Amino acid sequence: VRKSGTGMPVVGMVGGGQLARMTAAAAVGLGVTFRVLSESESESAALVTHDVTVGSHLSLPDVAAFAAKCDVITFDHEHVPGPILAELEAAGTLVRPGGGALRYTQDKLAMRETLRALGIPCPRFAAVSSAADVEAFAGGRLPVVLKAVSGGYDGKGVWICTSTAEIEDVIAHGIPLLAEEFVPFRRELAALVARSPSGQGAAYPVVQTVQVDGICREVLAPAPGLSPDVAIEAEAMALRIAAELGVTGLLAVELFETHQGGLLVNELAMRPHNSGHWTIDGACTSQFEQHLRAVLDLPLGSCAPPDGSFTVMVNLLGGTDPDIFDRYIHVMAADPAVKVHFYGKEVRNGRKIGHVTIVGGPQDDVAAVRDRARRAASYLRWGTEDGD
Ligand SMILES: Nc1ncnc2c1ncn2[C@@H]1O[C@H](COP(=O)(O)OP(=O)(O)OP(=O)(O)O)[C@@H](O)[C@H]1O
Ligand SMILES: [Mg+2]
């Protein structure tokens, strides 16, 4: 018996950020009931979702009461503690992805160890707890990358250390850490796939992502000039990881492409991902709809872009002037092909508050479209020097 009272299933998403907000839009299209568990009424998704429960994803009573009103629950982030997920699953709640899979997004050491055991190529790594451990791992080769085992996002929790003093500063934080070889990559890629509980898989074209200071700034879909062999290898790798880890819903695999054309896995996310925002405008099925289809165990949608098209997405970071709407008129007048997405979040300098996309056709040049998308984002981010 479905819990909506309308015959449509109820999907509950834990977390009220922009990913939940964009999933809400896809739920409107499918006509499924969508609820969010949000920390406050003013979060991005809470502002646009009819059925909001205010509560904490860290509280078992809050999450369990929310889950009781939903047919399946899923996530806008990876921060629900494992023991809460285990309790829900033991009580018979459909949790997708399940706690067994989500663990690999919460614990970078478990993720690295498991991928290594599966024979998936990763940067060399080791658990470290002292500067001596890091020195022994690095063997004199700097930089060395230190990462928080848990809780990092947008590059917070990643330190690229070029000296012993920097290593000691990170160790002084006293948090569980992982050391990784510094990969002098040619570029970063992401492979986004979906997997349903029935075991169907679907793969989006592999994209190029551009990170600045650990924050995703641009996505080029598909990755320009990527060899078809490497693209297939990345898609197959992501589908295999999804199956081996028992992922239900979306899986984003962040990758490094080396100068030799090889691939190394950086990290995993099991939810809609910034590298997939382009799919709203540029693919047959958006990642948000795909995630809903997957967690509802529906047949997955086509991931294909229209023939010969490509999409450029540029993230919109907050500037110092909060009045974004004032600038819409100029951006929209200057380039009618620009699609503006704003998340309704308070504008703060450097915070992800939206994105813009432009879909190019077979006649268009990627560099020119990228320029136009950058210009739009830069104009919307008013009042800072950093507008690229
Ligand atoms: N081993 C490495 N060698 C070189 N650069 C790295 C390495 N690990 C991470 N980076 C750089 O730091 C960025 C952030 O790293 P990572 O994705 O592990 O952190 P995060 O904060 O969990 O990110 P996210 O916001 O995607 O959750 C990467 O996108 C990459 O640009
Ligand atoms: Mg990352």
Side-chain angles (χ1 to χ4, degrees), residues 108 123 145 147 152-156 158 160 180-183 185 188 211 214 254 256 266-267:
K108 286 188 179 177
V145 181
K147 293 188 176 183
Y153 70 99
D154 284 351
K156 296 179 180 63
V158 174
I160 297 173
E180 263 180 30
E181 70 175 301
F182 175 79
V183 180
F185 49 77
E188 294 187 79
Q211 269 69 229
E254 297 179 6
F256 299 133
N266 176 29
E267 65 164 345

Side-chain angles (χ1 to χ4, degrees), residues 300-351:
L300 301 176
S302 164
C303 297
D307 263 354
S309 72
F310 63 91
T311 303
V312 176
M313 188 232 51
V314 178
N315 271 343
L316 181 54
L317 302 185
T320 48
D321 175 358
D323 209 345
I324 295 280
F325 186 72
D326 251 14
R327 294 187 291 279
Y328 274 24
I329 182 172
H330 303 291
V331 166
M332 291 176 179
D335 194 337
V338 172
K339 305 293 285 182
V340 179
H341 299 258
F342 182 62
Y343 308 149
K345 300 197 328 189
E346 193 195 324
V347 177
R348 270 191 260 124
N349 200 20
R351 184 185 202 202

Side-chain angles (χ1 to χ4, degrees), residues 41-67:
E41 303 264 356
S42 61
E43 279 195 69
S44 181
L47 295 172
V48 300
T49 306
H50 164 69
D51 199 334
V52 180
T53 303
V54 173
S56 169
H57 62 273
L58 302 174
S59 150
L60 175 61
D62 285 6
V63 180
F66 175 68

